[in-house]
Amino acid sequence: MTANEARIRELESEITKRDNTILMQQNSINDLKRQVDNLTEILIQMRHDKFGPSSEKTVKSDDGSQQVSIFNEVEVEADSTVQEPFKRNAKGDIAPRKKRVRNEMIIGDLPTEEIVLSLDESELVCEVCNGKLKPIGREVVRQELQYIPSQLKLVKYVREAYECPACKHTDNPYIIKTVAPTSLMNHSLASPSSVAHVMYQKYMQGIPLYRQEKDWERMGILLSRATMANWVIRCAEDYLMPVTDYLRRKLLARDIVHADETPVQVLKEDGKKPQTKSYMWVYRTGNDGKEPIILFDYQPSRSGDNAATYLKDFKGYVHSDGYSGYNKLTEVTRCGCWAHLRRKFVEAIPPGKETELRGSFAVTGKEYCDKLFAIEDDLKDLSPEDRYTQRLDREKPVLEAFWAWLETVNPIRGSKLAKAVSYTQNQKPFMENYLLDGRCSLSNNAAENAIRPFVTGRKNWLFADTPKGADASATVYSLIETAKANGLDVFSYLQELLANMTDWDHTDEYLEDLMPWSEFSRSQCCR
C-alpha cells in the first residue's frame, strides 16, 4: 500500500467518524427539540387549564377573545337592548300583547299588591271653580318586584287531655290524650322545613354551613354549624337513605346507565391521611324515555371495584369515560365517550391555532368527532328505532373513515397528539357500541352534567369532615338532582320527604308514592 492510498483510507475513516458524529449530534438535537416541543405543549396546556375557558366549544366572543372573566360578570352580561317584563315605551304605552304574554310567563303568578295613589280629601278642589273633584279613571304607572326576606316562627304542638266526668271518681278513671305528630329528631328544634332549608342552601345553592350560621344569626337564631351538620347527617341516615336505596333498585332494573367519578377530600377517615383523595361516584339513567334517576355514591377510593359493587345486579349498557376501572364491570356492554375522545384532540391543538392548523392531524381528528356530534344533533328527536337505523346509514361510514385515517397518523412520541391517538386506539373496542341500541348516547355527557353541581358545590365547602358527612352529602345530592331532573321544586320535595318519611311503614308501595314522578310528588312539588 502506497503512502497516498494509506492517506486516502485515513481520510475516509475520519470522514466516516465525522459523519457518525454529525448523525449522533443531529439525533440528539432532534431528541432535545422533541423534548422542548413537548414541554412547551405542556406549559401551554397548563396555562390554558389555569387561565383559559373550561369549555371545549370553539365559539368566540364578539371581540374575538375566548377568555371569560368571573370578575366583570355584570359588565359582560349587561345588555341595554334586553327589555324587562312589562317594559313601556317612551310614550308610556305597554308593549304589544304578544310581548306581554311572554313577560307574564317570565313573571309567573305572583301575589300582587296594588298601591292606589289618591288625593287627600282637602286636595279634591277644582282650581277653576272650587268645585269638588271626583275620580274618572286609573292608570298603572309602573310595576316593581318586591323582595320579602324569609321569616321564622316557632311552632308549638300542644297536646290536650280529656277525661270522663262519670268515671273520674271511680277506681278506673278514663283519660286520653291527643296524638302528636312524629318529630324529626327528639328534643330538637329541627322541622321538615328548617332541615330542608339547610340542605337546599348547602347542596343546591352551594352555601356552606358557616355562612348559613351567619344568616340564622341575622334572623335572631343562634344555630351553630355543628347543629346543622347533625341535622343533615341524622335526617339523611334515618329518612332519606331508604329513598335513595329504593331509587338504586329502580336504576339497576333499567337498561342504560351513565357513570362518572370525581375526587372529594374527607378529613377524618380511618387509615387515611387528610390529604388523601376519596371519590364521589355518580350513576344516572340514560335516554330510555323513562323517568330520570341520578344517584351519588361516596367511596374512599377510585377502585373499579366500587362501580362493580354498586352495579352488581345491572345488565345492560354502561356509558363511561376511558378510566380502566370500569373494565371490572361484568355482564354489561361498555359504551365509550366520544366527548372525551374529542377532548384529547382538542388538547393537542395549541389554543387559538385551530384555523391556522386546519388540515393537521389534531384538527382533523377533532373534525371527525364534530361530524358525529352534528349527525347526532339531527337525530335527537327521532324514536330509538329510527335513530338506530339512521346511525348505521349516516354515522357508520364516518366511523370507518375515522379508523382508516387513524392508521395513517404517526405522531411525535410523548406529544399531546400521541396521547390522543393512544387513547383512541385503547378505547376503540367501546367506541362503536352505542350503535347497538338507539337509546344509547354518543357521549357520557349526561353523567358529567349530573356530577357538575357537586363539583361546583365542592369549590365552596372544599371538603367533608367525616365519611358519615360524605355519605349524607351523597344522599342529599341524589335526591336534589333526581328531583331537578323530574321537574320538581327541590326545597318542596325535600320538605315533603322529611315530613312523610317520619311515619314510613317500610313498604315499597309507600316509597313509590314518594318518588319524584309519583302523582303525590308532582301535585305537591311541581315548579
Side-chain angles (χ1 to χ4, degrees):
M1 180 184 298
T2 65
N4 288 336
E5 291 176 341
R7 180 58 181 166
I8 289 173
R9 289 190 176 183
E10 182 179 350
L11 291 174
E12 288 177 346
S13 176
E14 290 179 358
I15 291 173
T16 301
K17 289 181 179 180
R18 184 193 63 186
D19 290 342
N20 291 336
T21 301
I22 292 174
L23 181 61
M24 291 176 58
Q25 290 176 342
Q26 187 61 49
N27 291 335
S28 178
I29 291 172
N30 291 337
D31 289 340
L32 291 173
K33 186 177 183 301
R34 280 194 293 269
Q35 291 184 34
V36 170
D37 291 341
N38 289 340
L39 291 173
T40 302
E41 190 177 65
I42 293 172
L43 179 62
I44 292 173
Q45 186 63 43
M46 290 176 64
R47 185 181 299 167
H48 179 265
D49 292 343
K50 186 173 181 63
F51 300 109
S54 58
S55 173
E56 295 158 18
K57 294 181 179 179
T58 55
V59 178
K60 295 185 179 181
S61 58
D62 293 338
D63 61 357
S65 172
Q66 293 182 348
Q67 179 67 42
V68 178
S69 173
I70 62 174
F71 299 105
N72 63 339
E73 181 182 16
V74 173
E75 293 85 346
V76 171
E77 297 296 333
D79 186 351
S80 60
T81 64
V82 175
Q83 292 190 340
E84 294 187 16
F86 298 99
K87 181 104 180 221
R88 293 170 174 268
N89 60 23
K91 296 180 181 180
D93 297 329
I94 298 178
R97 179 172 179 78
K98 183 177 179 181
K99 188 75 171 181
R100 186 164 68 250
V101 172
R102 185 182 68 83
N103 288 331
E104 288 172 354
M105 294 175 63
I106 294 173
I107 293 295
D109 297 327
L110 293 178
T112 302
E113 176 186 355
E114 190 174 87
I115 300 177
V116 180
L117 307 174
S118 303
L119 290 178
D120 188 79
E121 189 71 24
S122 61
E123 298 175 304
L124 296 175
V125 179
C126 176
E127 294 182 357
V128 178
C129 67
N130 291 326
K132 187 174 181 179
L133 302 179
K134 65 177 183 179
I136 59 172
R138 292 181 176 182
E139 74 167 327
V140 178
V141 180
R142 69 173 184 272
Q143 297 181 86
E144 299 176 343
L145 287 175
Q146 184 181 51
Y147 172 75
I148 302 174
S150 56
Q151 299 177 351
L152 298 176
K153 68 178 179 180
L154 188 64
V155 178
K156 293 184 179 180
Y157 290 90
V158 181
R159 183 169 63 175
E160 291 189 336
Y162 301 86
E163 69 172 1
C164 175
C167 299
K168 180 177 181 180
H169 300 292
T170 65
D171 292 338
N172 297 307
Y174 184 74
I175 299 175
I176 62 171
K177 294 181 179 180
T178 52
V179 179
T182 306
S183 62
L184 278 180
M185 300 170 61
N186 292 331
H187 313 295
S188 172
L189 291 174
S191 70
S193 61
S194 60
V195 176
H197 175 74
V198 171
M199 291 178 173
Y200 177 84
Q201 291 289 89
K202 177 174 172 61
Y203 299 108
M204 179 74 177
Q205 301 295 86
I207 302 176
L209 296 182
Y210 77 89
R211 286 169 57 190
Q212 292 192 50
E213 185 179 49
K214 295 298 182 182
D215 280 341
W216 287 100
E217 183 178 348
R218 178 183 58 81
M219 292 186 287
I221 303 296
L222 298 178
L223 189 62
S224 70
R225 67 194 76 173
T227 298
M228 287 184 281
N230 290 337
W231 286 4
V232 171
I233 293 174
R234 281 281 306 279
C235 290
E237 290 178 344
D238 294 346
Y239 307 119
L240 302 185
M241 286 185 182
V243 181
T244 55
D245 289 342
Y246 183 72
L247 283 168
R248 179 189 174 192
R249 283 188 279 144
K250 287 282 189 180
L251 178 139
L252 295 179
R254 303 282 273 273
D255 297 324
I256 301 171
V257 165
H258 293 255
D260 199 7
E261 74 290 330
T262 189
V264 60
Q265 187 178 1
V266 178
L267 299 183
K268 301 173 184 175
E269 192 164 21
D270 292 341
K272 294 181 66 176
K273 296 180 180 179
Q275 300 83 1
T276 307
K277 288 182 180 179
S278 297
Y279 282 83
M280 189 69 77
W281 297 69
V282 67
Y283 307 92
R284 69 155 299 157
T285 52
N287 184 27
D288 57 5
K290 300 179 181 179
E291 298 86 359
I293 299 173
I294 302 173
L295 298 177
F296 289 77
D297 180 47
Y298 164 73
Q299 293 295 335
S301 73
R302 200 189 180 196
S303 169
D305 292 330
N306 298 318
T309 300
Y310 196 91
L311 300 176
K312 180 180 178 182
D313 298 322
F314 177 78
K315 295 176 177 61
Y317 298 95
V318 176
H319 292 267
S320 68
D321 57 23
Y323 173 47
S324 60
Y326 292 107
N327 292 332
K328 294 189 176 182
L329 296 174
T330 59
E331 298 186 68
V332 302
T333 301
R334 277 193 60 195
C335 297
C337 176
W338 281 89
H340 277 79
L341 188 148
R342 177 184 182 275
R343 187 175 303 157
K344 299 298 181 182
F345 285 103
V346 170
E347 291 174 352
I349 304 172
K353 300 290 186 179
E354 181 173 345
T355 303
E356 181 180 331
L357 297 177
R358 187 168 299 279
S360 65
F361 285 127
V363 174
T364 301
K366 171 185 171 295
E367 289 175 345
Y368 270 111
C369 298
D370 290 343
K371 179 64 174 177
L372 291 174
F373 279 102
I375 297 174
E376 279 294 303
D377 190 57
D378 291 341
L379 308 181
K380 63 183 179 182
D381 296 326
L382 299 182
S383 66
E385 295 76 15
D386 291 340
R387 190 181 300 115
Y388 168 79
T389 303
Q390 288 292 318
R391 280 174 172 172
L392 295 179
D393 290 342
R394 300 178 60 183
E395 295 183 14
K396 185 67 173 176
V398 178
L399 290 167
E400 292 173 352
F402 173 75
W403 299 123
W405 166 82
L406 192 69
E407 295 296 326
T408 66
V409 182
N410 185 25
I412 298 175
R413 186 179 59 185
S415 66
K416 287 285 185 179
L417 181 60
K419 294 178 181 179
V421 171
S422 176
Y423 178 89
T424 304
Q425 291 171 339
N426 292 336
Q427 292 300 304
K428 184 178 180 180
F430 314 117
M431 299 309 297
E432 291 192 19
N433 286 340
Y434 77 98
L435 296 174
L436 300 174
D437 194 311
R439 299 171 299 170
C440 290
S441 301
L442 184 65
S443 73
N444 193 38
N445 286 346
E448 290 202 342
N449 292 335
I451 209 169
R452 186 171 292 116
F454 173 82
V455 175
T456 302
R458 183 183 60 195
K459 294 178 180 178
N460 291 319
W461 45 261
L462 300 180
F463 54 80
D465 194 51
T466 65
K468 278 190 174 183
D471 286 331
S473 297
T475 299
V476 180
Y477 269 117
S478 298
L479 294 172
I480 285 177
E481 293 306 313
T482 302
K484 284 167 55 180
N486 283 275
L488 299 186
D489 177 77
V490 171
F491 171 78
S492 298
Y493 185 61
L494 291 175
Q495 184 177 4
E496 288 298 328
L497 282 180
L498 293 171
N500 286 279
M501 283 298 291
T502 52
D503 295 316
W504 177 38
D505 66 1
H506 295 268
T507 63
D508 287 351
E509 290 76 14
Y510 192 92
L511 291 174
E512 184 63 35
D513 287 338
L514 295 177
M515 290 295 99
W517 51 81
S518 70
E519 182 178 348
F520 171 78
S521 295
R522 301 201 71 81
S523 64
Q524 299 295 319
C525 310
C526 268
R527 295 171 183 168

